[in-house]
Amino acid sequence: MTLDEYKKQFSDDDAVGWLSIDKELDALYPDQEPKHYVPPISYMLGGPDPLDGISVYESSKQTDHLHFVTYGFSELYYDEAKLESEFSKWGFELTFRLKPFEADNGNPSWAIALLQNIARYVFDSGNWFEEFHYMPANGPIRLETETDITALIFVTDPELEKIQTPHGEVTFLQIVGITSAEYDQLIENPEYAEELVNKLKENNPLLITDLTRK
């Protein structure tokens, strides 16, 4: 896209990258209006949460689950200087698929906090994630919960393809909850990451996180 085309198609008020993400989600979830969570104080105004928003869709594919999608790791707003960059900001957005957990009572606010915590790490450290990266949660991924899911591995979202936005490439990276034993195996053998993901996909192709999984 040329600068002239960019100026003709968008105005200063347009969230150019946001619109690119929405286009993908509208195709995946036509006619569904997601729940959308925004920080009470914008990060640009000094708030603690780097992500501008997180949308949560309801999916019945494979099994009923919630599908979270972030807005903020990529370049969201009109910016002529970012036109035709190779990567849009960090070059990814995060997704997360969660099987409903009874104790949440339909309000998995901890998952929103988890995604914002990961964003804080990225924004503060300058380190980003790619497929088959993994990290500990330093305890249960849902705090104060009896669960074996204590770490995360990053995979390409099974349903959302990599997109080219006017500001560059964006990959949808899905975080997947893994057990302490699985994480220990990764520490012993980092090359095991892809094999672990393939094993998980055998019974769980969409890689939905289930806090009750052993």
Side-chain angles (χ1 to χ4, degrees):
M1 176 178 285
T2 66
L3 180 57
D4 284 344
E5 290 171 336
Y6 188 77
K7 289 179 175 180
K8 286 179 182 178
Q9 188 170 342
F10 305 108
S11 71
D12 288 348
D13 296 328
D14 285 329
V16 178
W18 197 304
L19 292 170
S20 296
I21 297 169
D22 279 351
K23 181 179 178 182
E24 298 303 304
L25 274 299
D26 288 346
L28 185 58
Y29 297 106
D31 305 319
Q32 183 177 156
E33 186 69 30
K35 290 183 179 178
H36 190 72
Y37 296 82
V38 297
I41 302 174
S42 166
Y43 191 66
M44 290 185 290
L45 297 178
D49 297 325
L51 299 176
D52 288 37
I54 299 171
S55 286
V56 185
Y57 293 83
E58 296 180 358
S59 177
S60 58
K61 295 177 182 177
Q62 186 178 310
T63 187
D64 288 346
H65 66 278
L66 300 175
H67 192 188
F68 298 73
V69 182
T70 67
Y71 293 78
F73 289 103
S74 61
E75 197 66 54
L76 298 177
Y77 305 108
Y78 185 96
D79 189 337
E80 295 174 8
K82 301 296 171 58
L83 179 63
E84 291 298 304
S85 298
E86 183 178 0
F87 298 102
S88 178
K89 202 171 180 177
W90 301 104
F92 67 89
E93 292 291 350
L94 289 182
T95 72
F96 180 47
R97 295 174 188 269
L98 177 67
K99 185 175 181 179
F101 188 63
E102 187 175 357
D104 286 341
N105 293 315
N107 181 30
S109 57
W110 65 269
I112 303 297
L114 173 65
L115 291 163
Q116 289 286 11
N117 284 339
I118 295 173
R120 270 188 286 277
Y121 166 77
V122 171
F123 279 64
D124 291 345
S125 71
N127 297 325
W128 62 90
F129 294 103
E130 297 177 3
E131 187 169 35
F132 305 129
H133 283 185
Y134 48 87
M135 65 182 294
N138 299 319
I141 65 169
R142 186 185 189 276
L143 297 178
E144 301 177 1
T145 301
E146 289 189 16
T147 175
D148 286 349
I149 306 299
T150 60
L152 301 167
I153 192 165
F154 294 76
V155 303
T156 302
D157 189 291
E159 291 188 304
L160 291 171
E161 303 261 343
K162 181 187 299 181
I163 60 173
Q164 293 295 332
T165 77
H167 300 144
E169 179 181 292
V170 175
T171 297
F172 293 97
L173 282 180
Q174 181 173 313
I175 58 172
V176 182
I178 58 175
T179 66
S180 300
E182 290 164 344
Y183 180 71
D184 288 344
Q185 287 179 293
L186 290 171
I187 293 299
E188 290 179 13
N189 178 18
E191 301 301 319
Y192 177 62
E194 185 172 2
E195 182 181 344
L196 171 60
V197 169
N198 288 334
K199 283 185 177 180
L200 293 174
K201 281 183 176 179
E202 289 176 5
N203 298 316
N204 182 12
L206 289 181
L207 296 169
I208 299 165
T209 295
D210 179 358
L211 293 179
T212 66
R213 185 172 72 86
K214 302 296 184 183

